[in-house]
Amino acid sequence: MLPLYNPKEAAEDSHALHLAILFFVASAVAISIYFHHDSGLKYWLLKGFGETTPGKVLVIINDTPDGDKAWAHYRSNYRNTFKNFKSWQDERIVVEIKPANAAAQTLDFRIKPGEIIRETDGALNVTYLPLNPKIAYPTRSLDRFSLDSQILFWSLVAGAVLLFLALRSARKWARFRARLRQY
């Protein structure tokens, strides 16, 4: 004997399916935000509120490890390794900057060897945040984070749309269940 088709159960299943789909899409958006929030926010802050100052390159370190040391180095920060494996193969530079109205800061950055462009006498322009000079990056390499900021922006927009759709779907399902109790 075949089971009978019940339109009310089919409608309820449809509401539950919509919420389940929204949950999985929201999970993908949350993962995207998690992987891109740090560099996207850094880009927005430095582009919007950053100031540029010349920095003195103190030392250039090629600390790309080999063999087993490389895997230990890569595993030291899973998230950055997963997001940008090439960044762990870059050189590290130590730069000293003198922000306006603040003490001198010593910062280190990982950048590609081709991006180390010395304007004069080992100087490298650095964009920093005046409220916290530790948030800084070389000016010419700042566009490295523009893709992360765009991904973050569109993930936030998608998250807002998903939140609206989830609330609407949950409300429809609640109204449907309330009408079922009246029968």
Side-chain angles (χ1 to χ4, degrees):
M1 199 165 168
L2 293 172
L4 297 175
Y5 175 74
N6 186 340
K8 292 177 183 174
E9 285 181 4
E12 185 171 10
D13 289 346
S14 172
H15 289 296
L17 180 64
H18 287 186
L19 285 175
I21 291 171
L22 287 172
F23 172 76
F24 287 112
V25 173
S27 298
V29 168
I31 289 169
S32 173
I33 290 172
Y34 174 73
F35 279 114
H36 299 283
H37 78 280
D38 54 348
S39 49
L41 286 174
K42 186 177 197 176
Y43 180 79
W44 288 340
L45 285 172
L46 292 177
K47 277 293 190 181
F49 305 106
E51 293 182 10
T52 302
T53 187
K56 181 180 177 190
V57 177
L58 299 177
V59 66
I60 300 172
I61 303 167
N62 184 0
D63 64 348
T64 305
D66 296 326
D68 292 336
K69 290 180 182 178
W71 288 110
H73 184 64
Y74 299 148
R75 285 192 301 262
S76 67
N77 191 339
Y78 283 115
R79 190 166 64 84
N80 281 336
T81 303
F82 182 68
K83 181 172 80 171
N84 189 2
F85 188 75
K86 294 266 186 200
S87 71
W88 288 100
Q89 299 170 356
D90 298 341
E91 291 183 343
R92 189 165 52 103
I93 62 169
V94 180
V95 179
E96 182 180 49
I97 64 170
K98 176 67 174 109
N101 303 326
Q105 298 282 328
T106 304
L107 308 167
D108 66 346
F109 308 108
R110 284 196 174 277
I111 62 175
K112 296 183 184 339
E115 292 178 345
I116 302 174
I117 300 171
R118 295 174 184 92
E119 282 77 12
T120 56
D121 303 349
L124 180 71
N125 284 336
V126 176
T127 302
Y128 68 96
L129 191 64
L131 294 175
N132 184 1
K134 293 222 180 262
I135 299 175
Y137 208 73
T139 304
R140 291 186 188 233
S141 303
L142 192 58
D143 288 338
R144 243 177 147 175
F145 299 131
S146 66
L147 179 64
D148 286 336
S149 71
Q150 291 171 358
I151 291 171
L152 177 63
F153 174 75
W154 288 110
S155 296
L156 291 172
V157 169
V161 169
L162 286 173
L163 181 64
F164 171 75
L165 291 176
L167 291 174
R168 194 176 115 203
S169 293
R171 194 174 326 139
K172 279 184 179 180
W173 192 14
R175 270 190 262 135
F176 175 77
R177 292 193 51 93
R179 278 187 269 148
L180 276 180
R181 287 189 198 115
Q182 293 172 1
Y183 291 112

